[in-house]
Amino acid sequence: MVTKVLVPRLGEGVDEVTITKWLKQVGDSINELEALLEVNTDKVDTEIPAPASGVILKIEMQEGQIAKVGELLAIIGTAGENVEGVSEKTESKVEGQKAVVIQTAILDLRPSTDLGFISPVVARIAAEQGVNLGQVTGTGLNGRITKNDVLVYVGNRDASRGIVPSPKPSNLQPANIQPAAGDQLIKHSPIRRSIAEHMVMSKRTSPHVLTVMEADLSHITKHRAANKSAFERDGVKLTFTAYFMSAIVAGLKTYPTANSSWADEGVLIHKAINLGMATSLGEEGLIVPVIKNADNLSLLAMARTVNDLANRARTKKLQPDEVKGGTFTLTNHGISGSLFAFPVINQPQCGILGVGAMQKRVVVIDDAIAIRPMVYLSFVFDHRILDGASADWFLMKVKETLENWS
């Protein structure tokens, strides 16, 4: 008996995936729940396990293709079994089909909203541009709203308001760059392309302003040395990142405007403090898992969550929902030796804090020369929301929290 492998729904609002890598090929044997392929959704790589044991009889989707929830990926069965008639792609809007549970992923083939299926790209652009999708006319298959539909709507809306868009290049690289002899073209991965699009969009969206302060981490280093062993007994590695996250929480609670997003109608102050944590994936790029309700976490819980998200990010075990909903972001670029930087805001957030490498430096304290472990804090903020003074108030609170840790 053959078993169809369909695209599962990997999270709220995730309606399509990009096939990034097949871990098995036609003719290979596979066990139930063994990883069959990797897919990408909004920069998150996720493994899809086999729903049954058997032999891979057919692979329907190739690497690089985009597949919708419910579409056929592959067929598993017994060697030599006939697959004729079962290889047609399954429609992604089938009513009444039973939900199939595959490990943590749930396949539910019913439409998620009255608008039909909305792709992650369309949903992201609509959120960033403040678009009510109910007002957008879809021109895609069966009236589906496409990326171009949203962009046309935004262009018409802005034109009616007298907003003149800045010139946009037709591509992310100049057209006049031609490869020379010996040059190597490395194809863009879905993650790299997504990062590029998001960073370019961010710089066009909000006016970025940088303010920098220096913090003395003497109290932090002493506290960490005194508590590191106790945390390890609880199975938690106490990193400096946990302290920085906790200091950001203190700053956002004191100055809530820094925990906000810009909207046409006003500034949206977020009740929840959901901290994004930029995590390097090496040459593959980076990803930003989100610590939800970070203001409810003790230092121990914060450190445990930081460890967990960082480890699962690097081993491609994150779920799509775990990179969504961030209200502020930390990037610890000092890990690679950088002293300070000018990070790009993770839209639609108000700001991002960059933390440089900690170095022992000579400082003057009470007219005396001393050597202290110092770090630069680089705060990049949306100047539509914060002014220089309010941004500095927030950053000063972060600095004071770190310097007065007890």
Side-chain angles (χ1 to χ4, degrees):
M1 177 178 176
V2 298
T3 300
K4 295 181 180 180
V5 182
L6 308 177
V7 179
R9 185 178 298 283
L10 297 174
E12 185 68 26
V14 179
D15 302 309
E16 61 186 22
V17 302
T18 300
I19 313 301
T20 54
K21 184 178 182 181
W22 281 98
L23 304 176
K24 296 285 186 177
Q25 300 299 323
V26 173
D28 290 347
S29 297
I30 193 167
N31 296 319
E32 184 178 2
L33 299 184
E34 185 180 355
L36 174 59
L37 73 156
E38 292 180 357
V39 299
N40 181 273
T41 59
D42 285 342
K43 299 202 304 183
V44 177
D45 284 327
T46 303
E47 291 181 348
I48 294 181
S53 299
V55 174
I56 312 300
L57 300 178
K58 186 173 184 180
I59 289 178
E60 187 72 29
M61 295 280 189
Q62 302 304 312
E63 294 178 0
Q65 279 189 268
I66 295 176
K68 301 173 186 177
V69 166
E71 286 192 312
L72 183 64
L73 292 171
I75 299 174
I76 298 174
T78 305
E81 193 168 5
N82 183 17
V83 297
E84 185 177 355
V86 296
S87 61
E88 290 86 358
K89 295 181 181 179
T90 304
E91 290 294 327
S92 60
K93 293 186 178 181
V94 179
E95 289 285 356
Q97 180 161 337
K98 182 179 178 182
V100 181
V101 179
I102 303 179
Q103 214 169 35
T104 60
I106 299 177
L107 169 59
D108 182 358
L109 300 184
R110 294 171 296 177
S112 58
T113 70
D114 293 337
L115 298 173
F117 283 85
I118 304 299
S119 75
V121 173
V122 169
R124 187 182 74 235
I125 295 174
E128 291 164 353
Q129 298 294 333
V131 173
N132 179 354
L133 290 175
Q135 300 176 353
V136 179
T137 301
T139 62
L141 181 64
N142 297 322
R144 181 174 181 176
I145 298 174
T146 67
K147 173 183 176 180
N148 189 60
D149 294 332
V150 179
L151 294 177
V152 169
Y153 177 90
V154 171
N156 293 336
R157 180 196 64 186
D158 290 349
S160 67
R161 296 175 180 174
I163 300 174
V164 179
S166 57
K168 296 182 180 180
S170 59
N171 213 320
L172 289 176
Q173 73 171 24
N176 58 354
I177 293 181
Q178 298 295 329
D183 288 355
Q184 178 186 9
L185 177 65
I186 300 176
K187 296 288 187 179
H188 297 310
S189 67
I191 290 180
R192 176 54 59 192
R193 188 176 295 278
S194 179
I195 291 171
E197 291 175 351
H198 192 63
M199 294 298 97
V200 172
M201 178 275 296
S202 180
K203 293 292 284 188
R204 289 176 179 156
T205 298
S206 61
H208 287 51
V209 179
L210 170 69
T211 183
V212 179
M213 293 186 183
E214 196 173 19
D216 182 346
L217 297 188
S218 296
H219 286 208
I220 295 293
T221 55
K222 290 178 181 177
H223 186 277
R224 181 172 179 267
N227 292 274
K228 188 176 179 180
S229 297
F231 276 54
E232 288 178 350
R233 287 195 292 270
D234 287 328
V236 177
K237 183 179 180 181
L238 181 56
T239 64
F240 286 102
T241 299
Y243 291 98
F244 296 136
M245 287 293 198
S246 298
I248 290 173
V249 167
L252 296 179
K253 290 175 70 175
T254 305
Y255 299 101
T257 308
N259 191 52
S260 68
S261 299
W262 176 268
D264 289 341
E265 298 79 13
V267 175
L268 178 62
I269 308 295
H270 302 296
K271 180 179 179 181
I273 296 179
N274 299 332
L275 298 185
M277 179 180 67
T279 304
S280 174
L281 300 178
E283 292 185 357
E284 293 185 52
L286 60 86
I287 197 168
V288 186
V290 176
I291 300 175
K292 304 292 177 63
N293 300 309
D295 49 323
N296 294 332
L297 301 182
S298 64
L299 182 64
L300 175 62
M302 183 73 78
R304 179 179 284 113
T305 306
V306 166
N307 293 175
D308 173 57
L309 289 175
N311 290 336
R312 288 195 292 114
R314 295 186 180 107
T315 56
K316 300 181 180 180
K317 301 296 184 183
L318 288 176
Q319 295 298 310
D321 289 344
E322 292 178 310
V323 297
K324 295 181 179 180
T327 61
F328 192 95
T329 297
L330 168 76
T331 175
N332 193 352
H333 54 84
I335 293 176
S336 58
S338 170
L339 293 179
F340 64 86
F342 196 134
V344 178
I345 295 171
N346 189 9
Q347 296 293 337
Q349 298 167 19
C350 171
I352 182 171
L353 181 68
V355 177
M358 183 178 67
Q359 287 187 330
K360 288 187 177 181
R361 291 196 281 271
V362 175
V363 296
V364 177
I365 300 176
D366 297 329
D367 293 332
I369 294 178
I371 297 177
R372 295 287 187 269
M374 307 297 292
V375 66
Y376 290 111
L377 305 174
S378 306
F379 178 39
V380 177
F381 58 95
D382 186 338
H383 209 344
R384 298 174 301 175
I385 300 174
L386 297 179
D387 298 318
S390 53
D392 287 344
W393 295 338
F394 162 77
L395 187 56
M396 180 58 73
K397 181 62 179 180
V398 174
K399 167 185 165 74
E400 291 174 348
T401 302
L402 293 170
E403 293 187 335
N404 298 317
W405 196 279
S406 60

